């Protein structure tokens, strides 16, 4: 599912706002132990009503009030909590990545808190056993996204089973954001020859004589060589035309192309392949750019370019 | 707190919860001794972190299943109550889980089966201790669960400050207990009455009301037992903190030289027994004989006039319309066997009722019986004659002997082995004994001088707690009754005053008094609570 594609931006925002309005302030999930407990409570309730035995009413009252106590204390853990998203350094589809939140409960301590992001494509959570009162604490969780793309993060969900483990109470903290998940990392593949930029010229042509690296020597200028390489000072002193011989470079310029109109699955595979190629090319020192319809990136080299390429590939098919 | 310390703490609370739950059932007195012994041993091992069944999970699981099958068979054959069997099986599963390898799942199983035992205890028991055990269980279970939840969120081996957690768990316990009490009050009472259990046998009978009075047998240790055996509501209310009253249960007319007995031929039972004609000044009593009383003999303030409206509690069920049997000698005995009884009785008000209460004289047969003596030491008659100095009025004669014995002889519960002639040993050698010696000595000395006398047993005292007077096992007492023409048998007590009431230690008596106060509140506020209250 690709939420942004084909969906009108304004109607999507309205839908999100509506969902936020309809979302209950707390959600409650019954744990396995809680289910057994509820069944037992029901049984004791029936026994109490059947017999009129006050001691059974006493036990029933105790069991019901334990549920109330559980609700009150779990609410106390969640009520005043403030959380902000720190995020992740880099997230690749299909592999766990570290994700961080900063959390503080100003007045009371919290126990057994579980943090997760509200997004259908994200799995995993961060767990904090003890949150001291008034101390901001960083929580790390290992998340996993099966798909690349800019994932919309509606907010953070904090859940606790404290104190009795019978119910898992969750509170949703609205906190809009986007998590850019890079394409899945697959084994590197050689770039297609067609991806080499035709505008390279002799400066970056593999057929050129010499390169643009450090000076190696001075050699006589041959007839068919570029006159711009002539070292005029040495030529004048030697009485013949000589040129600078520099270290030969193997830097090429590639522009990778993706078909943004392809079906989602096909496009995902394409982006993964391109990311692998880009990684291999950049590692070899080449310059790599991207042309994917709306998403374009000028060729460049280096780790920063790889990050820009991965981000661009993550967005291909989602933007516009 | 380290991970290992945290684990030990959690398991200690968990095992404590299981023990409290089992105790809530065990105090009903319905669980068999072997089950109690097994759980006690297993619980002790668990508290020392010995999980002996962890190595043999399959074999122990099969054993528990076998125990379940045996209990089912016993129930099917009518040899065991279903609720008792269910509680015993829940205890077996709990014990198995407690002694197995601990983890979060096992913790939940232990607490859930413990909860089943608590429910069974509610059905089987009416003891105040049940409330204590439930409160303990709730406390331990809440702490165990809270520790387990936080432990599950901790990385393996991580340290954790446990104090904040224990404080928060304590708050949880307080809310649960307080909320439980509040919900108990407001929950609507509906009763389908498909079947119910209530009121246990408790911890058994101890009052020591025997078929006879045996001199030289036993040390009279019952006098030191502070346990409450009966509660009595009196109207008109005497409004006194302590009643120095005689509560009669039995009388004995036959002295064999070592013991007092009474032949008691069966009488036609009836729901109401009238001892003698009514009187304008009667004291009404509603007597509740607790399971600890351990006898079917009805007690009442002297002189009882009529007994009636008896109900019983048997196997947790209320048994209405019980019958009394009036036996010669004035004893009134409940015919049906039950764990506890409640009945109404009227007695003549000793302060107001001065009218003749008996025939002018005994029949010849009765007179012969109440003056009959086996061969006794000649010194006894001589001593009586020396004290009486020819006194012929029975009451004055009895009072003279009472004064003599009270002044010259000492009260003690520390008695040596049984001598050949316990009465002569008391009168001429040891010169100390408990109430049975004093009562016997007075009755026999009166008989040696031709006065009709007998020994009565019952209780002396009555301590006000709440709106009722309680009788303790230690209030058990024996005294003498002298026949006074026109007045019937009149009480004469030769036992020194200090030895008549309970001889329990003040601290033990205080403890029991406090327990009785809370127990009275427990019964009126919890066991017999209704929304109408």
């Amino acid at each position: 599912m690709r939420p942004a594609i084909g969906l009108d931006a304004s109607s999507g925002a309205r839908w999100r706002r509506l969902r936020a309005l309809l979302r209950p302030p707390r959600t409650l999930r019954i744990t396995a132990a809680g289910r057994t407990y509820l069944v037992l409570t029901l049984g004791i309730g029936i026994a109490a009503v059947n017999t009129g035995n006050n001691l059974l009413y006493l036990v029933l009252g105790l069991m019901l009030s334990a549920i109330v106590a559980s609700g009150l204390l779990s609410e106390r853990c969640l009520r005043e909590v403030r959380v902000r998203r720190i995020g992740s350094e880099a997230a690749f589809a299909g592999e766990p990545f570290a994700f961080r939140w900063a959390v503080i409960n100003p007045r009371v301590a919290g126990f057994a808190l579980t943090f997760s992001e509200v997004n259908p494509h994200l799995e995993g959570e961060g767990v904090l056993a003890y949150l001291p009162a008034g101390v901001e604490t960083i929580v790390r969780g290992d998340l996993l996204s099966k798909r690349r793309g800019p994932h919309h993060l509606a907010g953070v969900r904090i859940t606790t089973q404290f104190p009795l483990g019978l119910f898992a109470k969750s509170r949703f903290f609205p906190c809009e954001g986007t998590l850019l998940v890079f394409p899945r990392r697959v084994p590197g593949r050689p770039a297609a020859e067609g991806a080499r930029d035709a505008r390279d010229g002799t400066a970056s042509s593999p057929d050129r004589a010499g390169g643009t690296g450090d000076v190696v020597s001075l050699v006589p200028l041959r007839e068919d060589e570029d006159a711009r390489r002539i070292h005029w000072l040495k030529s004048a002193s030697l009485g013949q035309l000589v040129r600078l011989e520099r270290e030969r470079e193997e830097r090429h310029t590639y522009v990778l192309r993706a078909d943004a109109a392809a079906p989602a699955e096909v496009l995902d595979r394409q982006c993964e392949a391109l990311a692998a190629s880009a990684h291999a090319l950049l590692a070899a020192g080449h310059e790599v750019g991207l042309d994917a319809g709306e998403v374009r990136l000028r060729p460049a080299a280096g780790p920063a370019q790889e990050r820009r390429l991965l981000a661009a590939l993550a967005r291909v098919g989602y933007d516009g | 707190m380290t991970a290992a310390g945290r684990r030990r703490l959690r398991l200690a609370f968990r095992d404590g919860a299981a023990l409290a739950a089992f105790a809530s059932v065990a105090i009903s007195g319905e669980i068999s001794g072997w089950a109690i012994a097994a759980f006690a041993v297993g619980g002790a091992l668990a508290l020392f972190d010995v999980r002996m069944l962890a190595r043999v999970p399959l074999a122990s699981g099969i054993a528990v299943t076998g125990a379940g099958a045996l209990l089912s068979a016993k129930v099917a054959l009518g040899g065991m109550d279903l609720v008792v069997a269910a509680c015993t099986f829940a205890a077996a599963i709990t014990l198995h889980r407690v002694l197995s390898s601990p983890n979060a799942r096992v913790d939940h199983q232990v607490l859930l089966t413990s909860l089943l035992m608590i429910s069974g205890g509610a059905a089987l028991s009416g003891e105040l201790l049940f409330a204590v055990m439930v409160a303990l269980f709730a406390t331990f279970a809440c702490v165990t669960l809270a520790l387990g939840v936080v432990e599950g969120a901790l990385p393996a081996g991580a340290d954790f400050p446990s104090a904040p957690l224990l404080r928060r768990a304590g708050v949880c316990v307080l809310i649960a207990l307080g909320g439980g009490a509040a919900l108990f009050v407001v929950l609507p009472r509906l009763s389908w009455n498909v079947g119910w259990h209530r009121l246990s046998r408790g911890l058994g009978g101890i009052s020591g009301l025997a078929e006879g009075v045996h001199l030289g047998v036993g040390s009279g240790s019952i006098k030191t037992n502070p346990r409450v055996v009966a509660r009595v509501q009196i109207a008109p209310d005497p409004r006194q903190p302590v009643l120095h009253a005689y509560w009669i249960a039995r009388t004995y007319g036959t002295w064999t030289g070592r013991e007092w007995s009474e032949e008691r031929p069966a009488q036609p039972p009836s729901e109401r027994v009238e001892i003698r004609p009514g009187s304008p000044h009667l004291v009404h009593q509603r007597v509740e004989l607790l399971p600890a009383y351990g006898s079917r003999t009805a007690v009442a303030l002297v002189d009882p006039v009529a007994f009636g409206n008896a109900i019983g509690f048997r196997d947790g069920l209320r048994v209405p319309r019980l019958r009394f049997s009036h036996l010669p000698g004035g004893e009134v005995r409940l015919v049906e066997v039950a764990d506890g009884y409640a009945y109404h009785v009227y007695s003549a008000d000793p302060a107001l009722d001065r009218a003749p209460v008996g025939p002018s004289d005994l029949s010849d047969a009765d007179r012969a019986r109440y003056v009959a003596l086996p061969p006794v030491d000649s010194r006894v008659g001589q001593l009586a004659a020396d004290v009486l100095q020819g006194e012929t009025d029975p009451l004055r004669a009895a009072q003279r002997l009472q004064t003599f014995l009270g002044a010259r002889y000492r009260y003690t519960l520390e008695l040596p082995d049984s001598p050949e002639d316990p009465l002569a040993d008391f009168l001429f050698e040891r010169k100390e004994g408990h109430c049975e010696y004093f009562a016997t000595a007075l009755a026999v000395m009166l008989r040696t001088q031709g006065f009709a006398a007998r020994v009565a047993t019952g209780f002396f005292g009555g301590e006000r707690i709440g709106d009722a007077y309680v009788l303790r096992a230690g209030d058990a007492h024996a005294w003498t009754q002298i026949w006074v023409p026109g007045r019937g048998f009149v009480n004469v007590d030769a036992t020194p005053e200090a030895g008549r009431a309970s001889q329990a230690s003040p601290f033990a008596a205080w403890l029991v008094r406090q327990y009785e106060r809370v127990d009275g509140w427990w019964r009126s506020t919890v066991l017999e609570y209704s929304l109408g209250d």
Side-chain angles (χ1 to χ4, degrees), chain A residues 33 36 40 44 49-51 53-59 61-65 69 73 109 111-112 127 129-130 162-165, chain B residues 115-116 119 122 125 134 146 153-154 160 165 168 172 176 179-180 184 188-195 197 522 526-527 529:
Chain A
T36 316
L40 199 55
I44 289 174
V49 169
N50 176 42
T51 60
N53 183 343
N54 273 333
L55 292 187
L56 283 174
Y57 275 104
L58 188 71
V59 175
L62 193 64
M63 293 178 77
L64 291 175
S65 73
L73 291 183
F111 297 94
V127 180
Y130 174 52
F162 187 81
L164 303 179
Chain B
L115 205 46
L116 283 174
S119 314
S125 172
V134 169
L154 274 174
F160 176 76
L165 173 62
R168 192 67 64 84
C172 181
F184 168 79
R189 263 40 171 194
L190 308 167
S191 185
W192 300 339
N193 277 327
V194 175
H197 278 75
W522 166 254
V526 178
L527 290 183
Y529 173 81

Side-chain angles (χ1 to χ4, degrees), chain B residues 59-372:
Chain B
S60 55
I62 291 171
V64 171
T65 310
L70 278 176
L71 290 167
S72 303
K74 216 168 172 183
V75 170
L77 295 172
M80 192 177 232
D81 181 84
L82 178 63
V83 178
V84 176
C87 287
T88 310
F89 187 51
I93 297 175
T94 306
L95 190 59
H96 177 261
R97 300 281 74 197
V98 158
L99 294 176
S100 299
S101 259
N103 58 44
R105 192 158 165 250
V106 170
D107 286 359
H108 287 143
Q109 289 167 348
V110 168
L111 295 178
L112 286 171
T113 50
S114 297
L115 205 46
L116 283 174
M117 286 195 285
I118 291 275
S119 314
L124 294 173
S125 172
E127 301 282 326
L128 172 61
L129 274 178
F130 174 81
V132 177
M133 292 307 148
V134 169
L136 279 178
F137 169 78
T139 305
F140 292 158
C142 282
V143 176
T144 305
L145 288 171
L147 278 168
V149 166
V150 174
E151 205 166 323
L154 274 174
D159 284 355
F160 176 76
S162 58
L165 173 62
L166 292 177
R167 276 198 299 274
R168 192 67 64 84
V171 172
C172 181
V173 171
L174 290 178
I175 295 174
L177 292 179
L183 283 173
F184 168 79
V185 171
V186 299
L187 280 174
R189 263 40 171 194
L190 308 167
S191 185
W192 300 339
N193 277 327
V194 175
W196 74 318
H197 278 75
R198 185 159 162 198
L199 287 183
S200 63
R201 285 201 296 270
L203 302 176
I206 53 162
S207 80
L209 266 187
E211 288 296 318
V213 174
H214 305 264
L215 282 197
V217 176
S219 64
S221 61
I222 191 75
K223 292 292 286 182
T224 61
N225 192 327
R227 192 169 174 196
V228 174
V229 296
R231 295 191 192 92
V232 188
Q233 286 176 307
I234 302 176
D237 192 340
R239 298 189 182 284
Q240 292 174 17
V242 178
L243 275 186
H244 297 291
Y246 289 91
W247 303 79
I248 194 162
R250 291 176 179 163
T251 60
Y252 301 94
T254 305
W255 170 244
T256 65
R258 288 188 71 88
E259 65 176 292
W260 289 94
S261 63
E262 187 71 75
E263 290 179 8
R264 303 177 196 280
Q267 297 287 312
S270 64
E271 292 178 14
R272 179 180 164 82
V273 165
E274 193 169 310
I275 308 294
R276 64 180 178 82
S279 157
H281 307 294
L282 293 178
V283 178
H284 171 259
Q285 303 140 69
R286 184 190 182 274
V287 181
E288 190 182 350
L289 299 178
L290 304 180
Y293 181 64
S295 172
R296 286 187 288 140
T297 301
V299 293
L301 280 169
V302 290
D303 294 296
V305 172
F307 292 80
N309 295 334
I311 59 169
F313 302 97
R314 185 169 56 217
D315 295 332
L317 296 173
R318 181 189 174 100
V319 185
R321 301 169 69 88
L322 296 191
R323 294 169 301 164
F324 295 97
S325 181
H326 185 200
L327 305 178
E331 179 187 353
V332 175
R333 184 176 291 192
L334 287 141
V335 176
E336 286 84 2
V337 176
D339 301 324
Y341 301 94
Y343 55 86
H344 295 256
V345 56
Y346 289 92
S347 299
D349 188 334
L352 300 174
D353 198 344
R354 301 293 186 202
V357 294
S360 58
D361 206 354
L362 287 170
S363 67
D364 289 344
D366 281 346
R367 168 161 286 281
R369 199 157 67 87
Y370 288 126
V371 297

Side-chain angles (χ1 to χ4, degrees), chain A residues 184-209:
Chain A
R184 188 186 304 266
R185 282 195 269 214
V186 293
R189 298 173 190 174
E193 277 302 309
R196 191 182 297 165
D197 197 330
R199 295 169 299 174
D200 275 3
T202 55
S204 57
S205 168
D207 300 331
R208 66 185 162 78

Side-chain angles (χ1 to χ4, degrees), chain A residues 40-293:
Chain A
L40 199 55
T41 306
L42 184 67
I44 289 174
I46 290 171
V49 169
N50 176 42
T51 60
N53 183 343
N54 273 333
L55 292 187
L56 283 174
Y57 275 104
L58 188 71
V59 175
L60 177 66
L62 193 64
M63 293 178 77
L64 291 175
S65 73
I67 294 174
V68 174
S70 169
L72 289 175
L73 291 183
S74 59
E75 180 62 24
R76 196 165 162 74
C77 280
L78 296 176
R79 180 181 283 273
E80 295 182 19
V81 164
R82 292 201 299 265
V83 64
R84 63 185 173 86
R85 183 183 295 121
I86 295 176
S88 175
E89 295 292 319
F92 288 88
E95 60 185 85
F97 55 90
F99 200 90
R100 289 177 175 80
W101 301 269
V103 60
I104 184 170
N105 201 347
R107 290 196 301 171
V108 293
F111 297 94
L113 302 172
T114 304
F115 298 77
S116 60
E117 288 290 344
V118 181
N119 183 287
H121 299 294
L122 287 178
E123 296 171 4
E125 58 194 23
V127 180
L128 182 64
Y130 174 52
L131 174 62
V135 178
E136 186 174 72
T137 306
I138 305 298
V139 185
R140 179 208 147 115
D142 285 334
L143 302 190
L144 177 73
S145 172
K146 288 178 181 168
R147 299 206 54 190
R148 70 175 178 95
H151 294 315
H152 173 255
L153 303 178
V156 182
R157 177 175 288 128
I158 303 183
T159 305
T160 182
Q161 291 189 13
F162 187 81
L164 303 179
L166 305 176
F167 306 95
K169 180 183 274 189
S170 299
R171 182 181 172 191
F172 175 75
F173 294 82
C175 178
E176 298 279 340
T178 301
L179 172 67
L180 204 56
V181 178
F182 301 151
R184 188 186 304 266
R185 282 195 269 214
V186 293
R189 298 173 190 174
E193 277 302 309
R196 191 182 297 165
D197 197 330
R199 295 169 299 174
D200 275 3
T202 55
S204 57
S205 168
D207 300 331
R208 66 185 162 78
T212 56
D214 293 337
V215 175
V216 177
S217 61
L218 293 168
V219 295
L221 182 71
R222 292 198 295 267
E223 196 171 317
D224 58 343
E225 286 182 327
D226 190 346
R228 287 177 294 177
R229 298 270 181 175
I230 295 171
H231 194 289
W232 293 109
L233 190 60
K234 287 292 179 187
S235 296
S237 64
L238 293 172
Q240 66 170 43
L241 290 173
V242 291
R243 66 172 177 86
L244 286 170
E245 178 78 11
R246 293 179 182 273
E247 278 184 338
R248 183 178 177 82
E249 290 179 346
E250 293 295 340
R251 173 182 285 185
H252 301 246
T253 297
Y254 293 88
V255 176
L256 305 177
R257 290 181 178 79
D259 179 11
E265 290 296 324
V266 174
L267 185 57
D268 282 354
R269 300 289 86 77
Q270 211 175 86
C271 289
E272 288 164 12
L274 290 177
S277 297
H279 177 74
L281 292 171
L282 289 168
H286 301 296
E287 292 182 343
V288 182
L290 178 68
D291 179 3

